[in-house]
């Protein structure tokens, strides 16, 4: 167990390190000089140099070889500063000079207010529908369910948003205009839940049916156990592993919320921040938010993997 | 093909029945696919989209400048079957022209992603050791930045970049080229993972051991025995990746990170129409969403049928 956890921790650490390297290469090396965005058309070369120096962009890329490795100046490079900023979420916005962690503290709750209910409700709804559909497999109910979920997953997410907003305006115009707190939340949440149903129902149904085909289910049926007991007692429990893994992959989007929903409904969350930072080429914020989602993703996987190992001894041996 | 003996062996071992010789894995899969009318309809739909993608730019060559403000925002009529957009141009022509963007993005993305993923996956699986570690670390790192955020981040970094500048291969990453490269950098991972896992299994099979015992080099085994036997993963992932790329292009265009603004694309149409529904202009949105829906539906169903036809494990299920 200890060896397994250690190996997983090392893997996670290497991945996080890799992501820092990736964000550095993508946003500092490939994306290059974004000073033109902030300086205006009349800026001279001097202004540009001053701006670059102000934001630490004139420092050497990796290490300063003019100094000895034991001096502090040797390590005062763009990459080292990038690592520090990433870990502490201390990058400063080019535009407003706010620190990233302050922005996260300010905006994160709006994202969570939308994404947590959306994820929870979407998960429960998809699981319940998938169970019902799998229970009545090969009947008209199953076929209709599968047909609808295939149709549902082929409709673009943008269409759900635009139609959803239009419907709200048709049925409850006051709700959409008043934008009291509750409407502000439940309209995007409902849209997110409906849009995610098609894909998830189909996915969960496949997993459940795979499990239903196993021998132990046949044995249980042969000895006369009621189908509902088998389905909810045994099958569901054994399906939880892939279903929970699927849920974990959605966790990073909790923080960033749904980029699309936030931009469409003007919710001042982190997803909206990400998009507006891209428009204004606010590199430290983009890099920091990308890193944040990656860290949450890696941590989510780490925790699930360790939990699997705790509950399922077979995992440890792999 | 090289892998035919194995599939014969496998089916003979599984069923103990005589296998009629001369039918390869691929022709068998083709027969299975051809027997399914749904799959054939989907294939027909996709072929139609491909045809439109090629013909529409020729047929509507002067659409871009065909503005007529007196005719702006007209609902569908006999003159304009799907109405007109804000510049008075035909929405029907716009929808058909946009097919080119969707099909190109879907195709080019996967033409980069699938070979890359298959090759790296097979190399990681068959060489093992530090090569495997590096490749796995690389894709785990990329995959740690989730989904659409990865595509957005890549597309942002590519803004204003030109690959192979000054050569015949010049590729401007600002518009469609950047979308394809950013998406390809995302979609190779799934293929790579599956191919690596499959290669690890194949490596231990008797016929690969036999080839090694006969003195074949690693690279030759990789090219002759491993890659043909994982090719079906590439084909299945192609259809999945196609759907993903078409969908992602729409989202990128909506966020303003897609193809160039003037270029007609479904994402751009949906973006332009996002406030139109409220004032009762439904045709541009409906046209773009329907066009995309039919393509994605056909591709999804075809992907399922392809998997049924190509994945031997699912056959007896």
């Amino acid at each position: 167990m200890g060896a397994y956890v250690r190996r997983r921790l090392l893997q996670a650490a290497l991945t996080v390190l890799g992501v820092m390297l990736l964000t550095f290469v993508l946003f500092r090396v490939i994306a290059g000089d974004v000073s033109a965005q902030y300086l205006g058309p009349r800026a001279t070369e001097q202004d540009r140099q001053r701006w670059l120096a102000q934001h630490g962009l004139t420092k050497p890329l990796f290490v300063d070889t003019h100094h000895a490795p034991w001096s502090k100046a040797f390590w005062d490079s763009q990459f080292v500063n990038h690592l520090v900023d990433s870990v502490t979420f201390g990058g400063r916005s080019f535009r407003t000079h706010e620190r990233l962690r302050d922005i996260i503290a300010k905006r994160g709750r709006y994202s969570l207010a939308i994404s947590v209910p959306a994820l929870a409700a979407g998960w429960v709804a998809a699981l319940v529908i998938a169970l019902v559909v799998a229970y009545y497999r090969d009947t008209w109910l199953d076929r209709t369910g599968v047909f609808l979920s295939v149709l549902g997953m082929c409709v673009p997410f943008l269409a759900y948003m635009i139609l959803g907003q239009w419907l709200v305006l048709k049925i409850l115009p006051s709700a959409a205009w008043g934008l009291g707190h509750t409407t502000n939340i439940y309209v995007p949440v409902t849209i997110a839940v409906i849009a995610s149903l098609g894909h998830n129902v189909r996915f969960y149904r496949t997993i459940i049916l795979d499990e239903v085909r196993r021998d132990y289910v046949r044995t249980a049926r042969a000895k006369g156990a009621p189908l509902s007991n088998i389905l909810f007692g045994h099958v569901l429990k054994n399906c939880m592993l892939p279903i929970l893994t699927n849920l974990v992959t959605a966790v990073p989007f909790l923080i960033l919320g749904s980029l699309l929903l936030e931009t469409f409904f003007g919710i001042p969350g982190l997803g909206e921040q990400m998009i507006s930072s891209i428009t204004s080429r606010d590199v430290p914020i983009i890099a920091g938010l990308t890193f944040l989602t990656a860290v949450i993703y890696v941590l989510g996987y780490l925790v699930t993997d360790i939990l699997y190992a705790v509950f399922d001894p077979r995992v440890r041996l792999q | 093909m090289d892998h035919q003996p194995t599939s014969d062996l496998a089916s003979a071992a599984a069923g103990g029945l005589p296998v009629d010789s001369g039918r390869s894995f691929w022709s068998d899969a083709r027969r299975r696919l051809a027997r399914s009318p749904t799959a054939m309809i989907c294939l027909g739909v996709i072929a139609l989209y491909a045809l439109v993608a090629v013909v529409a730019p020729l047929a509507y060559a002067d659409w871009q400048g065909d503005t007529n403000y007196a005719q702006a925002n007209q609902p569908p009529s006999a003159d304009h079957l799907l109405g007109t957009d804000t510049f008075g141009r035909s929405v029907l022509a716009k929808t058909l022209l946009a097919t080119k963007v969707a099909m190109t993005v879907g195709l080019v993305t996967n033409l980069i992603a699938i070979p890359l993923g298959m090759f790296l996956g097979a190399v990681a699986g068959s060489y093992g050791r530090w090569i495997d570690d590096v490749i796995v670390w690389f894709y785990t790192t990329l995959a740690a930045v989730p989904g659409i955020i990865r595509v957005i981040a890549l597309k942002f970094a590519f803004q204003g970049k030109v690959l192979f500048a000054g050569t015949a291969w010049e590729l401007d990453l600002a518009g469609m080229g950047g979308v394809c490269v950013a998406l390809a950098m995302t979609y190779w991972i799934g293929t790579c993972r599956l191919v690596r896992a499959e290669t690890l299994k194949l490596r231990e099979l008797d016929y690969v051991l036999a080839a090694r015992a006969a003195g074949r080099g690693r690279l030759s085994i990789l090219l002759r025995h491993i890659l043909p036997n994982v090719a079906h993963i590439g084909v299945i992932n192609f259809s999945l990746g196609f759907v993903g790329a078409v969908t992602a292009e729409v989202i990128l265009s909506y966020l303003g990170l897609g193809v160039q603004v003037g270029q007609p694309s479904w994402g751009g149409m949906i973006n332009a129409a996002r406030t139109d529904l409220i004032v009762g202009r439904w045709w541009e949105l409906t046209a773009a969403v329907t066009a995309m829906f039919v393509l994605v539906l056909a591709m999804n169903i075809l992907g399922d049928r392809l998997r049924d036809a190509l994945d031997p494990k699912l056959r007896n299920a």
Side-chain angles (χ1 to χ4, degrees):
Chain A
M1 186 70 199
Y4 175 79
V5 172
R6 267 198 301 280
R7 203 172 64 223
R8 264 323 262 107
L9 277 173
L10 180 71
Q11 269 173 7
L14 282 176
T15 311
V16 169
L17 209 65
V19 172
M20 285 193 250
L21 193 64
L22 181 75
T23 48
F24 183 73
V25 169
L26 272 185
F27 301 127
R28 290 290 151 88
V29 182
I30 298 183
D33 186 1
V34 296
S35 56
Q37 179 84 22
Y38 295 93
L39 287 173
R42 296 236 188 103
T44 58
E45 180 57 28
Q46 247 178 340
D47 292 336
R48 197 179 81 94
Q49 286 303 333
R50 199 182 314 126
W51 188 87
L52 288 177
Q54 216 174 21
H55 294 90
L57 298 174
T58 45
K59 290 175 185 169
L61 222 44
F62 288 98
V63 283
D64 192 348
T65 44
H66 297 299
H67 298 275
W70 52 84
S71 70
K72 215 174 166 187
F74 178 83
W75 298 104
D76 188 22
S77 69
Q78 288 189 45
F79 183 62
V80 174
N81 288 336
H82 172 79
L83 291 186
V84 173
D85 282 352
S86 293
V87 176
T88 59
F89 297 104
R92 276 184 189 279
S93 159
F94 282 166
R95 200 173 34 157
T96 60
H97 300 284
E98 265 177 299
R99 278 202 187 278
L100 181 62
R101 50 172 176 265
D102 299 332
I103 295 179
I104 294 173
K106 197 172 69 185
R107 285 174 166 253
R109 56 204 162 112
Y110 294 105
S111 292
L112 288 174
I114 303 293
S115 56
V116 172
L119 188 72
W123 187 69
V124 172
L127 198 59
V128 169
I129 296 176
L131 272 171
V132 170
V133 165
Y135 185 86
Y136 292 106
R137 66 181 183 279
D138 297 329
T139 64
W140 64 270
L141 189 73
D142 179 30
R143 271 177 228 122
T144 319
V146 172
F147 180 70
L148 285 180
S149 41
V150 171
L151 290 192
M153 62 189 259
C154 292
V155 176
F157 191 81
L158 297 172
Y160 280 112
M161 290 194 316
I162 296 171
L163 273 176
Q165 191 204 33
W166 178 74
L167 278 176
V168 170
L169 274 182
K170 281 276 154 194
I171 300 162
L172 282 169
S174 61
W177 295 121
L179 288 181
H181 274 301
T182 44
T183 352
N184 228 345
I185 292 172
Y186 77 70
V187 172
V189 165
T190 315
I191 291 172
V193 168
I194 293 174
S196 70
L197 269 187
H199 185 269
N200 286 345
V201 166
R202 199 155 161 268
F203 181 66
Y204 293 160
R205 177 185 169 274
T206 314
I207 293 172
I208 294 169
L209 285 184
D210 275 353
E211 198 64 30
V212 166
R213 291 199 188 97
R214 300 246 181 151
D215 288 343
Y216 75 87
V217 175
R218 197 185 309 153
T219 313
R221 294 198 69 178
K223 73 165 193 185
L227 194 57
S228 56
N229 276 15
I230 305 171
L231 208 55
F232 297 101
H234 301 286
V235 172
L236 189 59
K237 208 152 75 184
N238 285 330
C239 293
M240 271 303 148
L241 211 121
I243 289 176
L244 280 180
T245 313
N246 184 50
L247 195 63
V248 170
T249 57
V251 165
F253 293 100
L254 284 181
I255 292 297
L256 226 48
S258 166
L259 294 170
L260 294 175
L261 279 174
E262 288 189 10
T263 42
F264 187 72
F265 287 101
I267 299 157
L270 288 172
E272 199 267 340
Q273 172 75 55
M274 177 85 175
I275 299 303
S276 67
S277 298
I278 280 181
T279 319
S280 62
R281 324 206 96 199
D282 200 343
V283 174
I285 301 299
I286 306 171
L289 285 176
T290 309
F291 180 69
L292 176 68
T293 54
V295 167
I296 294 167
Y297 188 80
V298 171
L299 281 181
Y301 255 94
L302 185 69
V303 171
T304 15
D305 276 357
I306 290 175
L307 284 181
Y308 286 164
V310 169
F311 290 114
D312 185 352
R314 284 172 305 177
V315 174
R316 275 174 249 163
L317 298 172
Q318 273 168 15
Chain B
M1 260 190 221
D2 237 1
H3 55 282
Q4 192 194 326
T6 47
S7 68
D8 281 357
L9 274 179
S11 54
L17 293 167
V19 184
D20 54 334
S21 54
R23 197 202 286 173
S24 76
F25 173 67
W26 291 103
S27 72
D28 183 45
R30 218 168 20 241
R31 282 164 50 109
R32 280 165 191 280
L33 209 58
R35 267 209 302 267
S36 155
T38 334
M40 287 296 108
I41 294 173
C42 292
L43 212 56
V45 170
I46 294 159
L48 188 69
Y49 269 84
L51 186 72
V52 169
V54 175
V55 173
L58 304 174
Y60 299 109
D62 54 354
W63 175 86
Q64 196 71 263
D66 196 16
T67 52
N68 179 359
Y69 291 101
Q71 287 283 314
N73 295 321
Q74 292 296 310
S77 63
D79 273 353
H80 298 285
L81 285 177
L82 291 176
T84 56
D85 67 0
T86 21
F87 300 101
R89 300 174 299 193
S90 157
V91 170
L92 177 66
K94 197 175 183 178
T95 315
L96 295 180
L97 282 169
T99 310
K100 185 186 155 200
V101 170
M103 294 301 278
T104 315
V105 169
L107 196 68
V108 174
T109 299
N110 285 289
L111 283 181
I112 306 171
I114 302 288
L116 184 71
M118 284 187 57
F119 181 70
L120 286 182
V123 165
S126 55
Y127 281 79
R129 299 203 291 179
W130 68 269
I131 299 183
D132 187 31
D133 289 340
V134 169
I135 293 176
V136 170
W137 173 78
F138 184 57
Y139 75 57
T140 328
T141 298
L142 260 184
V145 182
I148 192 73
I149 297 162
R150 188 186 332 151
V151 181
I152 292 173
L154 287 167
K155 185 67 178 53
F156 169 77
F158 290 158
Q159 263 169 3
K161 294 283 171 296
V162 180
L163 272 188
F164 315 117
T167 65
W169 292 89
E170 194 171 283
L171 178 63
D172 187 358
L173 291 181
M176 202 149 66
V179 173
C180 292
V181 173
L183 287 174
M185 285 293 106
T186 296
Y187 285 115
W188 69 274
I189 297 171
T191 312
C192 184
R193 235 182 225 155
L194 289 175
V195 167
R196 177 180 168 272
E198 192 65 23
T199 307
L200 286 176
K201 273 186 231 155
L202 290 175
R203 199 169 65 161
E204 306 302 326
L205 290 187
D206 287 344
Y207 78 100
V208 176
L209 288 179
R212 269 173 71 186
R216 278 210 177 267
R218 254 192 232 277
L219 190 65
S220 144
I221 293 178
L222 178 82
L223 294 176
R224 293 196 49 136
H225 298 295
I226 305 276
L227 278 181
N229 279 310
V230 293
H232 67 281
I233 298 179
V235 175
I236 295 168
N237 273 24
F238 195 98
S239 65
L240 293 178
F242 199 98
V243 171
V246 170
T247 319
E249 187 275 313
V250 169
I251 290 174
L252 285 178
S253 293
Y254 170 78
L255 293 174
L257 290 162
V259 297
Q260 269 105 342
V261 176
Q263 181 107 328
S265 84
W266 296 331
M269 287 171 75
I270 296 175
N271 186 19
R274 70 178 188 278
T275 50
D276 279 11
L277 205 56
I278 309 286
V279 291
R281 293 200 291 264
W282 49 270
W283 45 92
E284 192 166 0
L285 182 73
T286 315
V289 170
T290 312
M292 192 183 146
F293 174 78
V294 173
L295 177 64
V296 170
L297 184 64
M299 225 33 194
N300 262 327
I301 297 176
L302 184 72
D304 276 2
R305 293 296 133 97
L306 269 176
R307 192 171 14 204
D308 291 347
L310 287 171
D311 198 336
K313 264 178 292 182
L314 290 173
R315 261 188 211 164
N316 300 323

